[in-house]
Amino acid sequence: MQKQAHSSKVWFITGAARGIGLSLARQALACGDSVAATSRTLASLQQAFGKSSERLLALELDLVNEASVQIAIDKAIATFGRIDCLVNNAGYGQQGTIEALSDTELRHNFDVNVFAPLHVLRHALAHLRARRSGHVFNVASIVGFQGGYAGWGSYVASKFALAGLTETLAAELAELNIKATVVYPGPVRTGFLSKDTLVVAGRSIADYSEAQSSLDLHLNGLDGKQAGDPEKVAKLILQAASVPEPPVHLFAGKIANTLAEQKMQAVRQDLEAWRGASDATDFTEKRCWKRAN
Ligand SMILES: NC(=O)c1ccc[n+]([C@@H]2O[C@H](COP(=O)([O-])OP(=O)(O)OC[C@H]3O[C@@H](n4cnc5c(N)ncnc54)[C@H](OP(=O)(O)O)[C@@H]3O)[C@@H](O)[C@H]2O)c1
């Protein structure tokens, strides 16, 4: 474990009025940092944070609207002078089998979970790049590493997309001294699975019984009983923000760690079992492909 150092930071955190985002914003404020906290409604930020403070900027924005995101980022920089840690945290779960999900359901889930973080990055990265410093945290989910959850294809795919773009971002930003971390929480006890937040597909197809059982379990068996503590997940993010060499992949919780190990083993098994046949698909002349750098 690397040594931690705390110098005051400026955070931009989406979806900071509740759940993991709120815990992170509160802990950052308690450390003496400044926070630009976003939500779809100012009232929920006011309710979450109570009295205003010089180190808190509450921003109402529609993450799906790029112009609204740009205004929020510009306000954060005008207020605090910079952004050090950018946290794409806002997101929601969309249930439904791949066959049953409508185009509108899928696209909206991707708008919030993938294209909104891209809006934030598109407008904030120029500032981080100019200063040659900063740290981007994209909050994905362990399902975006493990995959294979019947009935959750939209959410899973959106989190895989967020993870994939974070890995690429880490490669692009390395020379600019900017870090990128994808956070993979396991189940965390927030309002994420509540009936008000989780979006259930408008259509269900009775043949997909495993997907229905999974939905029933998540709505009636897991909500409120998740193993992860949002305060501790937030603390882990703060810890990763404070070390000189943060991880690109940050798993949060025992369940996330176990599922990640299972996934890596399963991929290794497939790789080994098909290695010979797979290698044989190359042309036979001398290899000229080489990984850049
Ligand atoms: N809880 C878990 O088990 C778990 C596990 C793995 C990953 N995650 C991820 O962790 C992140 C935070 O989730 P959480 O557990 O803290 O859940 P949460 O308590 O439901 O908070 C979700 C946040 O995302 C924002 N959000 C939700 N739907 C939105 C929409 N349609 N448009 C814009 N913003 C929206 C909300 O902002 P508003 O204030 O605008 O409502 C809210 O602050 C999410 O990306 C989630 O996918 C959660």
Side-chain angles (χ1 to χ4, degrees), residues 6-287:
H6 195 88
S7 53
S8 150
K9 296 186 178 73
V10 177
W11 295 76
F12 184 97
I13 306 172
T14 66
R18 55 195 162 99
I20 297 169
L22 175 59
S23 296
L24 181 59
R26 281 191 178 139
Q27 287 184 36
L29 289 167
C31 292
D33 291 349
S34 301
V35 176
T38 87
S39 167
R40 283 168 292 181
T41 62
L42 199 55
S44 59
L45 287 166
Q46 284 162 347
Q47 198 184 355
F49 291 97
K51 61 177 174 32
S52 60
S53 124
E54 272 192 355
R55 289 188 288 108
L56 172 69
L57 175 67
L59 292 164
E60 179 175 284
L61 90 168
D62 174 7
L63 284 166
V64 170
N65 177 329
E66 184 165 358
S68 166
V69 170
Q70 181 168 14
I71 290 168
I73 290 188
D74 289 350
K75 261 193 203 163
I77 287 164
T79 306
F80 297 127
R82 64 183 203 277
I83 293 171
D84 299 305
C85 295
L86 188 67
V87 187
N88 281 307
N89 164 73
Y92 73 93
Q94 168 70 62
Q95 183 275 343
T97 57
I98 289 165
E99 184 182 343
L101 281 163
S102 71
D103 187 62
T104 306
E105 287 167 331
L106 277 157
R107 280 181 196 275
H108 190 257
N109 200 205
F110 272 70
D111 272 343
V112 174
N113 292 5
V114 183
F115 289 102
L118 283 166
H119 290 334
V120 172
L121 290 166
R122 202 173 298 116
H123 293 289
L125 280 178
H127 299 280
L128 273 61
R129 188 163 44 78
R131 299 183 61 247
R132 294 291 194 270
S133 84
H135 194 158
V136 175
F137 289 91
N138 288 332
V139 182
S141 162
I142 187 56
V143 305
F145 186 84
Q146 206 210 10
Y149 287 90
W152 299 93
S154 176
Y155 181 64
V156 168
S158 72
K159 294 302 190 178
F160 262 92
L162 190 59
L165 73 87
T166 311
E167 289 181 349
T168 306
L169 207 54
E172 290 177 356
L173 297 177
E175 65 175 311
L176 302 170
N177 191 38
I178 302 168
K179 315 290 183 194
T181 295
V182 48
V183 185
Y184 293 108
V188 183
R189 207 171 301 170
T190 65
F192 179 77
L193 288 178
S194 71
K195 291 193 167 73
D196 296 340
T197 304
L198 180 71
V199 179
V200 176
R203 184 176 167 226
S204 74
I205 302 171
D207 284 343
Y208 290 103
S209 60
E210 198 180 328
Q212 189 56 48
S213 310
S214 172
L215 175 63
D216 293 343
L217 176 71
H218 280 79
L219 284 177
N220 306 316
L222 284 182
D223 188 22
K225 301 191 186 82
Q226 296 96 328
D229 178 342
E231 289 296 322
K232 293 179 184 167
V233 175
K235 198 172 165 203
L236 183 73
I237 295 172
L238 279 169
Q239 198 179 344
S242 70
V243 295
E245 296 299 333
V248 174
H249 309 93
L250 183 63
F251 296 93
K254 289 180 190 155
I255 293 176
N257 289 329
T258 303
L259 294 176
E261 271 171 5
Q262 285 173 3
K263 172 68 185 264
M264 289 187 288
Q265 273 169 20
V267 171
R268 176 154 292 283
Q269 262 175 20
D270 285 350
L271 182 81
E272 299 298 347
W274 284 81
R275 180 143 232 158
S278 167
D279 282 351
T281 62
D282 287 353
F283 286 109
T284 47
E285 73 249 27
K286 212 170 160 221
R287 273 192 302 162

